[in-house]
Amino acid sequence: VQLQASGGGLVQAGGSLRLACQTSERTARNYAMGWFRQAPGKGREFVAAFRWSGGTTTYYTDSVRGRFTISSDNARNTVYLQMNSLKPEDTAVYYCAATRVGIITSQVRREDSYPYWGQGTQVTVSS
């Protein structure tokens, strides 16, 4: 599975961006897809994810819940991350990731649960 992330850029605090992650295969064949980010000098952290298991469940880290929304367009094999009310602390390189192996809830936020990764897209939020 190949992933191509796009949509990053420079935005003022309070602004919005929409990231896109296009996959080389049908998104519905992936059991989970997620977004992670890595700020300068810090480790990579979980941001948001989908898990397809019967129905669809979404997950968010506390710092973005209510501001970010993850969604998918299966016709376009693309997963989006709509980011609103951006803050300077959201500045990071954002990565999309996917797994085609079933994972449980406790694994969704772990980067080692995802064998497939996109190249990252830079998001910079100015104050």
Side-chain angles (χ1 to χ4, degrees):
V1 178
Q2 294 183 334
L3 307 176
Q4 181 73 33
S6 62
L10 173 63
V11 64
Q12 288 188 331
S16 298
L17 284 173
R18 188 177 75 161
L19 305 183
C21 178
Q22 186 165 28
T23 71
S24 59
E25 298 187 26
R26 291 174 54 201
T27 50
R29 297 184 65 182
N30 294 314
Y31 284 93
M33 290 191 68
W35 288 95
F36 290 75
R37 66 186 180 187
Q38 187 166 19
K42 296 186 178 181
R44 195 151 52 183
E45 66 169 352
F46 170 79
V47 177
F50 262 125
R51 186 170 69 98
W52 288 277
S53 178
T56 299
T57 305
T58 56
Y59 304 82
Y60 297 95
T61 192
D62 288 345
S63 63
V64 309
R65 187 173 289 112
R67 299 188 297 123
F68 292 11
T69 303
I70 189 170
S71 63
S72 70
D73 183 338
N74 292 338
R76 291 182 169 81
N77 295 339
T78 302
V79 172
Y80 300 99
L81 185 67
Q82 177 67 43
M83 305 186 297
N84 298 329
S85 302
L86 282 161
K87 304 176 181 180
E89 51 263 43
D90 295 318
T91 294
V93 178
Y94 283 70
Y95 299 89
C96 61
T99 178
R100 296 184 61 193
V101 176
I103 59 175
I104 60 177
T105 297
S106 62
Q107 295 172 303
V108 169
R109 293 173 172 82
R110 294 176 51 175
E111 60 178 296
D112 62 1
S113 297
Y114 300 86
Y116 306 107
W117 290 82
Q119 83 287 5
T121 184
Q122 176 70 48
V123 171
T124 303
V125 184
S126 63
S127 57

